Amino acid sequence: MGKTAKCDSSGLAAGLNKGFIVTRREMTPKPSCAKGRKSQRNGLIKEVIREVVGFAPYERRMIELLKIGSASTFKRALKLAKKRLGTHKRGKKKRDEMSEAVAAMRRKG
């Protein structure tokens, strides 16, 4: 659902902005607008789980592909993530996450 700004009504019965002229009320945002927002608590929980559990087998395979570092393996990592996660957007997000993990490993030692 996109958030579209409504145009003011023209007061006419026909046309793009037809309708009675009213003053629009300022609505309080719904709780559903906060869905998916990353809180500090959830971030910490995810971090602890990642430390304890580690990576899934497909994530480890992606890391190996990203360590090679060529353009073809970068694309192959995306294809693998896309196959496992279902959408292009999720695949790109996972590939970025795994490349961050590789960079963190390199920084660590």
Side-chain angles (χ1 to χ4, degrees):
M1 297 271 169
K3 295 176 185 170
T4 54
K6 291 231 177 178
C7 297
D8 293 329
S9 298
S10 63
L12 302 174
L16 288 175
N17 303 324
K18 67 181 178 183
F20 190 76
I21 298 172
V22 294
T23 55
R24 296 192 63 79
R25 293 190 309 157
E26 194 60 43
M27 304 297 276
T28 57
K30 293 179 184 177
S32 61
C33 292
K35 184 179 185 292
R37 192 172 290 159
K38 190 178 177 185
S39 69
Q40 196 173 9
R41 182 174 185 270
N42 286 352
L44 183 66
I45 289 168
K46 278 187 175 183
E47 195 178 310
V48 169
I49 289 171
R50 177 65 81 192
E51 275 181 37
V52 173
V53 178
F55 295 105
Y58 82 95
E59 290 176 331
R60 284 197 292 269
R61 188 166 161 214
M62 280 180 69
I63 287 172
E64 289 304 315
L65 287 168
L66 292 169
K67 276 182 183 174
I68 295 167
S70 67
S72 61
T73 57
F74 200 66
K75 186 174 181 178
R76 175 67 52 194
L78 176 62
K79 282 186 81 171
L80 175 66
K82 215 167 84 169
K83 180 97 170 105
R84 292 287 191 272
L85 299 172
T87 66
H88 183 72
K89 195 172 185 178
R90 287 177 188 169
K92 285 199 316 188
K93 190 176 177 189
K94 181 59 77 174
R95 181 180 64 181
D96 292 342
E97 191 182 313
M98 291 298 108
S99 55
E100 281 294 317
V102 169
M105 285 178 197
R106 286 192 179 133
R107 281 193 298 267
K108 212 173 199 181

